Amino acid sequence: MKIPGFPVLWFPPLTFYKEGGEIDYDRMSVQLKKIRPFCKGVLVPGSTGDGWVLGREKSEDLVRFFLKSEGFDRFDIMIGALMPTADETLASVRRWCGILREVSGKAADKEAMEALGVKAFVFCVPAGIESPQRQKQEMGQILKTGLPMAFYQLPLVTGVTVAPEVVAELAGTYPNLIAAKDSGGKDEMAESGILKDRLMLLRGAEGDPTEMLLGSEPVYDGLLLSTVNCFAEKYCGMLEGKLEYRDFGAVIEGAFAAVQTPVSNAFSDAVRAICHVQEYGDAAPEIPCYCYNGETLPVDLIKKVRELMK
């Protein structure tokens, strides 16, 4: 279900760093200006942007950077509240709302969201909860805020999967649940068919999305994936039917496979390596590529990505 004014292409923006791990906002602005003509939506903080390891202060600084959009055109925003329990998720949403009110000057949370282009808060099922009834109860506590929400199916982090029937029941009870992203690898929510007219369904980086998005019977409404950081124009062309995924998909798959021991996480490291090679070309292996903890990407990874991109 497409939503008017809700972008069909989203990405968790890569966070760039200087030596020592300080965030390089100037470099980020340059990169975002390249992406913005082709993609209008960001999820921040997200896993590709090191949202789970940056710590509270840097994560808040990163969100403020996007809210103020200084040096680049404003994006539509979804804000991650990807916490392991319902209580922590609600505390995260309250904290983000305080920042939205402060930046916007609005007194009400929804007014602040609208003024700043924040479309939804993104949440996961509380970690480790397998009972469908408990999943509904815990997720219901989050949705009772009444604020626009997007559900993120992320079993690699939560350790559990939420059945499409549970998501459908929650969507029927809470109209503020407006979207869902499935990174479960099986496309269960979309292929069930029961969410098609209830939620905007976004697919991640689980291979070629063409048939599920643009085929004769599409089951997804859009994409939310990390590789938009390096291939925004190509994804835009794919969505417009002007380009095929295979024209750039081999680089993506090869880069993910080349990550052996992640410095941050596999998605972040692969995307960072591709962006680094795009920026510096043949010289990329000789130029340090800094990560959140002050470490650099392995030179072997950068060399492998450079070869993939020739």
Side-chain angles (χ1 to χ4, degrees):
M1 179 186 74
K2 287 186 169 61
I3 301 172
F6 197 103
V8 296
L9 185 59
W10 294 78
F11 73 111
L14 191 65
T15 306
F16 289 90
Y17 303 96
K18 302 176 184 179
E19 185 176 3
E22 181 185 352
I23 295 177
D24 190 341
Y25 286 109
D26 290 337
R27 175 124 186 251
M28 287 188 68
S29 293
V30 170
Q31 185 73 3
L32 291 167
K33 284 200 288 193
K34 296 176 184 176
I35 294 171
R36 182 61 178 77
F38 308 104
C39 176
K40 305 296 189 287
V42 296
L43 165 60
V44 59
S47 57
T48 304
D50 303 320
W52 292 324
V53 294
L54 279 182
R56 177 168 170 171
E57 183 177 350
K58 284 188 174 180
S59 292
E60 290 182 358
D61 287 346
L62 197 61
V63 169
R64 289 175 189 273
F65 170 70
F66 280 93
L67 293 175
K68 294 177 180 178
S69 61
E70 296 174 352
F72 55 91
D73 289 340
R74 185 181 298 280
F75 286 86
D76 287 324
I77 300 171
M78 290 195 286
I79 297 181
L82 305 171
M83 307 300 286
T85 69
D87 286 345
E88 289 173 288
T89 299
L90 287 167
S92 178
V93 170
R94 287 194 294 269
R95 188 173 78 250
W96 292 130
C97 283
I99 290 174
L100 296 181
R101 294 193 304 271
E102 173 198 321
V103 173
S104 69
K106 303 292 184 181
D109 294 337
K110 287 184 179 180
E111 289 181 1
M113 291 178 72
E114 184 175 350
L116 295 169
V118 177
K119 298 296 187 181
F121 295 102
V122 182
F123 72 102
C124 292
V125 64
I129 296 179
E130 297 183 352
S131 161
Q133 188 59 36
R134 279 201 61 205
Q135 288 177 346
K136 281 187 282 189
Q137 291 172 349
E138 296 287 327
M139 293 168 71
Q141 289 300 312
I142 297 168
L143 290 165
K144 281 179 183 177
T145 62
L147 298 170
M149 293 280 179
F151 168 61
Y152 197 164
Q153 182 89 284
L154 196 59
L156 284 176
V157 173
T158 63
V160 296
T161 299
V162 181
E165 292 77 12
V166 172
V167 180
E169 187 172 337
L170 288 167
T173 304
Y174 301 98
N176 56 308
L177 178 57
I178 60 173
K181 156 80 184 288
D182 193 345
S183 285
K186 297 180 181 179
D187 299 299
E188 291 175 315
M189 286 198 294
E191 292 198 326
S192 71
I194 61 177
L195 298 171
K196 184 176 179 65
D197 298 321
R198 294 174 179 262
L199 300 176
M200 178 135 184
L201 297 175
L202 303 172
R203 193 173 195 261
E206 291 79 33
D208 188 345
T210 306
E211 184 61 29
M212 290 186 167
L213 195 67
L214 303 172
S216 57
E217 295 183 7
V219 294
Y220 281 99
D221 302 298
L223 297 170
L224 194 169
L225 25 64
S226 59
T227 46
V228 171
N229 282 280
C230 38
F231 293 125
E233 184 174 4
K234 293 185 183 298
Y235 277 113
C236 183
M238 189 195 78
L239 289 170
E240 293 174 351
K242 300 174 182 176
L243 191 72
E244 294 188 17
Y245 176 79
R246 65 184 180 183
D247 294 333
F248 58 101
V251 173
I252 293 170
E253 292 162 14
F256 287 160
V259 178
Q260 298 300 312
T261 303
V263 178
S264 180
N265 61 68
F267 287 105
S268 180
D269 286 6
V271 170
R272 192 176 304 282
I274 295 171
C275 288
H276 191 71
V277 173
Q278 287 176 329
E279 181 73 16
Y280 298 110
D282 287 342
E286 283 72 54
I287 298 171
C289 184
Y290 295 108
C291 301
Y292 76 97
N293 53 5
E295 294 184 22
T296 57
L297 278 189
V299 172
D300 284 349
L301 171 60
I302 295 172
K303 286 181 176 178
K304 287 177 183 178
V305 171
R306 183 183 62 178
E307 292 306 308
L308 286 167
M309 296 177 67
K310 284 186 175 179

